[in-house]
Amino acid sequence: MRKIKPWVWILIAMVVALIVGGIINKTCVVSDKGADLEFNQTGTTLVSIFDYIGTLFMNLLKMVIVPLVFSSIVVGIAGLGKTDGFARLGVKTVAYYAMTSLIAILIGLTLVNLIQPGLVDGKPNEAIKSQIESKEAEYSGKVSAKIGDTSKDMGAVRDLFLRMVPQNVFEAFGANNKMLSLIFVALLTGIGMIFISGSGRGALLGFFEGVNELAMLITNWVMFLAPIGVFGLVAETVSQTGFPIIQLLAKYFGVVLAALLIHLLVVMPLILFFIAKVNPWRHFWAMRNALLTAFSTSSSSATLPITMRALREKAGASKRVTSFVLPLGATVNMDGTALYECVAVMFVAQVLGFDMSFGVQFTVVTLALLTSIGVAGVPSASLVAITIIVYNVGIPGAEAVIGLLLAVDRPLDMTRTAVNVFSDSCGGIVIAKSEGEDVLSIKRNEAP
Ligand code: ASP
């Protein structure tokens, strides 16, 4: 009998989770309280089991991130031996990230202005408004509970970057939300190692190469559990999705999905085809495991080990490029998130009848671009950025609408995370090609 491929197992797990989650959602929900669903005893038990399995899988993936990211960047840069190669890679990477995020935001902005999901016949959607008015405190409370006491003024944008420089180097190795500082310390270490000589440099390089190999190996082991983990994550999401609210927000939901899919299925393939001159389909195929993992975990950071493995082993990009482009991209380059922030803010303004002049929309675009850089690669992280933007634009009463959006956030988060991860990987291909690498050749792509 032919062996079933790992990605097929993941796909099977997703379909089974969709069915099981759907049944629980249909049969175990006692009441739909608006922002939260209330389950009967069986539902509560099953959802907590799914949550347990999903969290365990996410933790296993996250566990590998710090050693993997740190050692990859250090080995990648120190291995270059000279700083000019690194500077060239850096400029190309930043240019690619800024350009694709801006394109994504403009797609979102165009669709949300054309379709106006928050309006009916040019006026704010009354059904959505009354849903919010009836549960205003509950929805606003949801947002505050999620974002904690983050300040929302421009200081918050500054603080996103302040996180980059830790007071103590070991802080960078702490929580996952410290990815920016981890990257910063890794960059400094890698560059510093180019300048030290003798046995110290050799010893450090050997050590980090070993750590990197080990982290990749552990990632491979973790992937054996992916179908179980993915089942837990997707089953939990589907059981907890408030379908009546999705219906209420159908137009908004549709605009976000359409914009994300245009970016994923039209813009990215065009970039791959015209700029990198590779077959886009071949790249989708190479990234299948990473796309499925991003979709089910809603976390670019947790997916990073899989993305790195896929870009190296399936697409054939060098260690040098993947080590630099992907860890940076997982935090800094979030096309789907930037697009989503822009659509969400515009939708909130439409529902509340807030006039968005050209100048204000320009501010939204700029802030979406900036904040998407600082957003952590974890589920629902863009909520913080959206709250910062509406606050700075000055939309009164926005928090309750954001709370309503939170009720349908997960499926959209899954999609935008897949877009974020795919864009990072396309960055890897574009840059690898520009460095003269032979990526996505037929031989490599035939591997399972
Ligand atoms: N979940 C997204 C990611 O990890 C971030 C977000 O848009 O909330 O890429």
Side-chain angles (χ1 to χ4, degrees), residues 408-419:
V408 296
D409 189 51
R410 189 63 183 216
L412 297 177
D413 197 1
M414 294 162 88
T415 320
R416 64 181 186 258
T417 308
V419 173

Side-chain angles (χ1 to χ4, degrees), residues 24 35 58 86 95 136 202 210 250 252 269 295 317 336 362 385 387 394 404 412 419:
I24 295 170
M58 289 274 274
F86 160 66
E136 186 155 4
Y252 165 77
F295 188 74
F362 183 76
T387 317
L404 174 71
L412 297 177
V419 173

Side-chain angles (χ1 to χ4, degrees), residues 88-307:
R88 197 182 57 233
L89 268 189
V91 170
K92 284 187 203 171
T93 309
V94 171
Y96 170 88
Y97 287 165
M99 188 190 81
T100 53
S101 295
L102 188 64
I103 295 176
I105 295 175
L106 294 179
I107 294 174
L109 189 69
T110 310
L111 283 200
V112 79
N113 273 309
L114 275 180
I115 300 174
Q116 304 192 314
L119 305 181
V120 176
D121 299 328
K123 295 203 191 64
N125 185 321
E126 282 307 321
I128 299 179
K129 268 180 94 173
S130 64
Q131 170 78 19
I132 296 158
E133 275 155 16
S134 64
K135 298 188 173 99
E136 186 155 4
E138 189 192 337
Y139 285 133
S140 304
K142 276 252 140 195
V143 177
S144 322
K146 275 257 180 195
I147 66 170
D149 51 7
T150 318
S151 82
K152 296 171 205 144
D153 55 16
M154 281 312 264
V157 181
R158 198 189 52 215
D159 287 349
L160 285 178
F161 296 96
L162 204 60
R163 284 204 314 236
M164 208 166 115
V165 187
Q167 286 185 34
N168 174 333
V169 81
F170 292 104
E171 270 178 29
F173 299 89
N176 285 319
N177 292 4
K178 294 265 163 85
M179 274 287 270
L180 272 183
S181 46
L182 183 73
I183 291 170
F184 178 73
V185 176
L187 287 176
L188 275 187
T189 311
I191 296 172
M193 274 167 56
I194 294 176
F195 293 99
I196 57 172
S197 53
S199 58
R201 178 168 188 274
L204 281 173
L205 203 57
F207 171 73
F208 285 120
E209 268 168 1
V211 172
N212 195 253
E213 247 175 67
L214 188 63
M216 287 305 259
L217 181 70
I218 294 178
T219 304
N220 287 355
W221 291 345
V222 173
M223 275 315 274
F224 281 117
L225 297 175
I228 302 171
V230 164
F231 170 81
L233 289 164
V234 177
E236 188 199 355
T237 304
V238 179
S239 359
Q240 288 192 317
T241 300
F243 289 101
I245 303 228
I246 293 198
Q247 261 165 18
L248 180 72
L249 297 172
K251 233 171 154 188
Y252 165 77
F253 207 78
V255 168
V256 176
L257 273 188
L260 286 172
L261 290 179
I262 290 175
H263 194 67
L264 181 73
L265 303 176
V266 180
V267 176
M268 285 294 131
L270 286 176
I271 291 179
L272 286 171
F273 189 74
F274 285 108
I275 301 183
K277 304 209 172 7
V278 294
N279 180 340
W281 164 244
R282 203 160 265 166
H283 186 53
F284 274 108
W285 185 239
M287 297 309 294
R288 59 198 182 277
N289 273 338
L291 284 171
L292 290 173
T293 312
F295 188 74
S296 29
T297 58
S298 292
S299 169
S300 319
S301 294
T303 311
L304 182 60
I306 319 288
T307 322

Side-chain angles (χ1 to χ4, degrees), residues 11 20 35 105-106 174 318 331 422:
L11 216 58
V20 174
I105 295 175
L106 294 179
S318 69
T331 339
F422 194 67

